[in-house]
Amino acid sequence: MLNIILFGKPGSGKGTQAEFIKEKYKLVHISTGEIFRKNIKNKTDLGKLAQKYMNNGDLVPDNVTIGMLKTEVDSNINSKGFLFDGFPRTVDQAISLDNYLQKKKLKIDLTIAIDVKDDILIERILNRGLTSGRKDDQDEIKIKNRFDEYNSKTSFLEEYYKNQNKFKIVDGFGKIDEITKRLYNEIEEFIK
Ligand code: AMP
């Protein structure tokens, strides 16, 4: 199995790049943001709960997100591997994921962060908001709040995975296919 985590602030292109990576390496793509959005669309209890957090650009509470993640992993346990996108976002989530995978005799192999400067990200997200319909993409205050959530909670994961010798960074500025190549290079370097 090959289990990868893709990190990046909102708008860094994680979702776009995840599509290429999952295709090439035949991984099951788990995007917690996408799962929440599907639940909101289908008006499930989980969706109703997540909606108020997401609309404000706040993180959904850990207990909810971790429970949902475990269900996703369980239902794809025989796959060739997982590509986690948007999870973990807190140290508690990372610890829960490690413990959970360990119970299944699995582990995270590699984590890659896509690095893009904030001013470029804000422009990209506001542009995406014009067509995505995402409330959290349309308001600069909510976007800034998502960055604050990243800086105050998610950024610690860099150290967490560096300590495990599993953290790589790629430059997320440039053409989509150039960035895809940078990501493939890191993965190939790992599996060679
Ligand atoms: P994303 O599509 O990854 O940008 O996520 C959109 C929103 O979903 C985030 O701003 C959070 O409100 C929520 N979300 C997604 N993943 C997580 C997570 N791992 N923990 C908490 N909230 C999350």
Side-chain angles (χ1 to χ4, degrees):
M1 243 191 173
L2 175 65
N3 297 315
I4 301 175
I5 298 173
L6 211 49
F7 285 115
K9 285 186 179 173
S12 60
K14 271 183 293 135
T16 306
Q17 297 298 343
E19 292 297 321
F20 296 119
I21 296 174
K22 78 159 191 206
E23 237 0 89
K24 185 167 165 75
Y25 296 98
K26 307 284 174 251
L27 304 177
V28 171
H29 176 203
I30 300 185
S31 158
T32 39
E34 277 303 319
I35 301 171
F36 283 133
R37 280 188 286 279
K38 257 186 218 149
N39 277 277
I40 290 173
K41 205 169 148 205
N42 296 330
K43 299 191 166 58
T44 66
D45 288 344
L46 177 64
K48 281 176 201 153
L49 196 153
Q51 189 161 31
K52 60 176 191 288
Y53 297 99
M54 289 179 73
N55 282 349
N56 290 328
D58 291 330
L59 292 188
V60 178
D62 275 349
N63 61 337
V64 177
T65 311
I66 291 167
M68 180 179 92
L69 192 278
K70 286 178 179 172
T71 310
E72 280 302 308
V73 170
D74 268 352
S75 45
N76 293 288
I77 203 69
N78 293 320
S79 68
K80 286 191 154 191
F82 292 100
L83 178 61
F84 297 99
D85 156 9
F87 187 99
R89 263 173 152 104
T90 65
V91 172
D92 278 352
Q93 290 182 12
I95 294 171
S96 297
L97 178 62
D98 273 351
N99 290 343
Y100 194 64
L101 291 178
Q102 201 177 17
K103 266 194 223 151
K104 318 242 159 204
K105 307 226 178 316
L106 301 173
K107 64 175 172 33
I108 293 298
D109 296 299
L110 178 66
T111 78
I112 315 175
I114 305 177
D115 184 41
V116 186
K117 289 202 172 62
D118 282 7
D119 49 345
I120 296 172
L121 292 176
I122 293 180
E123 203 183 297
R124 276 194 199 168
I125 297 171
L126 287 169
N127 263 330
R128 181 170 74 184
L130 297 175
T131 50
S132 72
R134 282 179 59 173
K135 286 204 176 68
D136 60 345
D137 278 352
Q138 293 169 1
D139 175 339
E140 210 162 321
I141 294 173
K142 289 175 185 169
I143 297 171
K144 290 231 166 88
N145 188 40
R146 288 159 71 196
F147 287 174
D148 287 346
E149 288 283 71
Y150 194 94
N151 293 332
S152 65
K153 296 171 184 164
T154 311
S155 63
F156 297 107
L157 295 178
E158 176 168 341
E159 195 163 329
Y160 182 86
Y161 289 107
K162 267 186 184 160
N163 286 337
Q164 297 187 11
N165 234 336
K166 291 176 184 167
F167 191 81
K168 303 281 176 191
I169 296 185
V170 302
D171 181 0
F173 186 70
K175 291 208 190 102
I176 290 179
D177 61 338
E178 287 168 357
I179 300 160
T180 311
K181 266 192 213 137
R182 291 174 201 152
L183 289 161
Y184 286 171
N185 283 344
E186 291 297 344
I187 299 170
E188 292 299 320
E189 189 61 31
F190 173 80
I191 55 184
K192 82 174 179 202

